[in-house]
Every structure is written in C-alpha cells, then in structure tokens.
Amino acid sequence: MSEENAGGVAKKFLYVNRKAPYGTIYALESLEVVLIGAAFEQDVSLAFLGDGVYQLTKGQDTKSLEVKNFSPTYRALEDYDVTKLYVEEGALQARGLSESDLVVPVEVVSAQRMAEIMEGQDVILSF
Amino acid sequence: MKFGILVNEGPYTHQASDTAYQFVKAALAKGHEIYRVFFYHDGVNNATRLTVPPQDDRNIVKRWSELAAQHKLDLVVCIAAAQRRGLMDKSEAKRNGKDADNIAPGFRISGLGQLIEAGIQADRLVVFGA
C-alpha cells in the first residue's frame, strides 16, 4: 500500500481521544479514522485524555443503551500495526482507574510527557 | 502554506463551521492554498442543500458552496458519517434505494482516506470543532 503514501515519507499522526465512549459519537468515529488511516502506513499514535480513558475500560456493557459496544475494536488495533497508545496518568487517577482496568496494553504517561509527545507530531486529530 | 481543514460540527448549533469558513477565506486572501476541506461527525450537515435559514441570518451551506466555486475548493463529506445522518448525493441515493438526494453544489462525498491524505499532503491540518 506504499503507493498511497504519496509523499514517500511517513508523517507522525496522533489521534487525541478526549470523550467518553458513549453519549456522543466522537470516540466511535475517531476509531473509524484510525482504522482507515492505518492503511496509509503513517506513524500512528493514540492519546487518551480526560474522559477519553473510559474508551479503554474493561467490562463495557452497552446492552441497555442499545448501542454497539465497540471496545473490542481497540484490541484489534495491534493487527493494524497501531501499537502506540498513550494514556494520561492524571486522567486515570482522577477516575479511580489503573492500567489493569484497560482492555489493551498502554503506556501511562505524565501530562508533561504527553505534551512532549504532542510536540513531536506532524498531524494531530483531536476528537 | 498548504492547509487541510477538518470541520467536525454541524451548522448553526456550533461555531466550528463559521470559524473554519472565516479561516479559509482569510488564508486564501493571504495567498495560502487550501488543499481540502473535510467534513466529519455532524460536520457533514454543512453539506445539505435543503437548509433554509432565516433571511436575516448567514446561509452557512450556501456560503461554502459559493466559496468553493470561487476558489475551486475541494469540499469533501465523509461517506460513513453522511450515511448515518441522511446526507447523500444522487448516486448514493440510488445505491441505497432512497427517493431523494440533498448534497449542495461544490461538495462531494468520499471516504475517510481523503482526510488522512489531507493530513499527509498539507503543511498543516487545522481542526475545527469537537
């Protein structure tokens, strides 16, 4: 699929997830961009801030909401070579969560480190 | 500079589309290039030609169409987001067995790859809304 990478050099894409998985469609549609974008062979990272950390929590049950539980899709990201998932430490702590509550392996980083990660990107898509 | 633009919110409810429009106009006036404007999430609603805003208010959809015609802008509406929200062009309407289409002039429906491509090709991708 390198022909899709018209510039030849991969850019660094960061998807910033800030919203809870349900209640609004942002999390789901952000994930759709990530999956489509994976075909373009760019350098992809995901960041989870604020309520965005809830997107990754285990044991999501959406049955009574009558919306699809899309949290298993995060486990498939590895198959798309999307493996850099950064979670902001303070966001987890403020919500009484730890890394073991999440469906995928992530790197828990400080707000300071998150700022550095953002600084190093070419394209930031914030949802 | 070459800009890519992402509009994530619908017209009137949210300021995102207005701000994006003013940004695009200002960038063009300064001699910059707009590689593409991509409409996602409720932003796809900026592309319906069936809006009828009050006469003393701005017509957001028409304004985008006119700017596109004037500057040959590439206004792209995400197909997946559009289908969820009932935005379609003639061929999509036919393909999905619907009796109407509602895409305003100057907009086209395409995939999310067009957004990624804008991120790759533009010097800056500027996100409005969400």
Side-chain angles (χ1 to χ4, degrees):
Chain A
M1 277 180 264
S2 56
E3 69 273 13
E4 290 188 305
N5 187 0
V9 180
K11 277 193 173 180
K12 291 174 73 108
F13 276 68
L14 176 70
Y15 297 90
V16 180
N17 299 284
R18 297 177 291 124
K19 299 210 166 56
Y22 312 103
T24 66
I25 201 168
Y26 298 106
L28 173 64
E29 287 193 334
S30 168
L31 196 52
E32 288 182 352
V33 183
V34 174
L35 296 175
I36 296 287
F40 285 76
E41 298 187 335
Q42 302 296 302
D43 181 346
V44 174
S45 306
L46 270 61
F48 296 85
L49 316 179
D51 279 348
V53 299
Y54 285 126
Q55 294 177 26
L56 298 176
T57 51
K58 286 177 185 165
Q60 294 180 26
D61 180 0
T62 60
K63 215 170 165 186
S64 57
L65 289 176
E66 297 186 13
V67 298
K68 188 179 162 190
N69 174 2
F70 58 91
S71 64
T73 312
Y74 293 101
R75 291 203 297 266
L77 286 176
E78 202 181 354
D79 302 332
Y80 290 82
D81 291 325
V82 177
T83 54
K84 284 181 279 189
L85 278 63
Y86 302 102
V87 174
E88 202 264 304
E89 194 174 23
L92 279 182
Q93 280 171 358
R95 289 161 184 79
L97 297 169
S98 67
E99 209 178 329
S100 61
D101 294 310
L102 308 181
V103 292
V104 281
V106 300
E107 189 178 332
V108 178
V109 298
S110 66
Q112 174 65 36
R113 175 80 188 110
M114 191 64 94
E116 289 163 12
I117 289 164
M118 287 182 175
E119 191 63 36
Q121 303 298 318
D122 296 310
V123 180
I124 298 182
L125 290 152
S126 175
F127 295 108
Chain B
M1 191 174 274
K2 203 194 287 183
F3 286 105
I5 306 292
L6 173 60
V7 180
N8 282 330
E9 297 290 347
Y12 302 104
T13 302
H14 199 290
Q15 192 189 323
S17 178
D18 289 286
T19 315
Y21 172 82
Q22 301 297 352
F23 180 92
V24 167
K25 239 174 60 166
L28 290 167
K30 289 268 183 194
H32 297 292
E33 182 188 339
I34 302 296
Y35 179 77
R36 177 171 294 147
V37 184
F38 193 86
F39 296 86
Y40 196 44
H41 299 305
D42 277 358
V44 299
N45 291 310
N46 286 291
T48 173
R49 63 182 168 81
L50 299 182
T51 53
V52 187
Q55 284 196 350
D56 59 355
D57 196 0
R58 71 236 188 269
N59 189 323
I60 294 178
V61 176
K62 195 163 161 242
R63 220 168 49 172
W64 276 119
S65 289
E66 286 170 357
L67 197 65
Q70 211 179 332
H71 296 278
K72 294 193 169 63
L73 292 181
D74 189 19
L75 307 183
V76 180
V77 179
C78 169
I79 187 165
Q83 283 182 332
R84 283 194 177 105
R85 294 164 176 86
L87 268 286
M88 50 187 69
D89 59 14
K90 276 199 171 58
S91 70
E92 276 301 297
K94 195 174 171 199
R95 198 169 67 85
N96 292 292
K98 300 293 183 185
D99 61 3
D101 63 87
N102 57 347
I103 287 293
F107 291 85
R108 65 186 178 94
I109 291 184
S110 190
L112 279 167
Q114 300 276 308
L115 169 61
I116 306 298
E117 194 191 50
I120 294 170
Q121 298 297 337
D123 299 313
R124 291 278 189 284
L125 182 71
V126 187
V127 182
F128 293 87

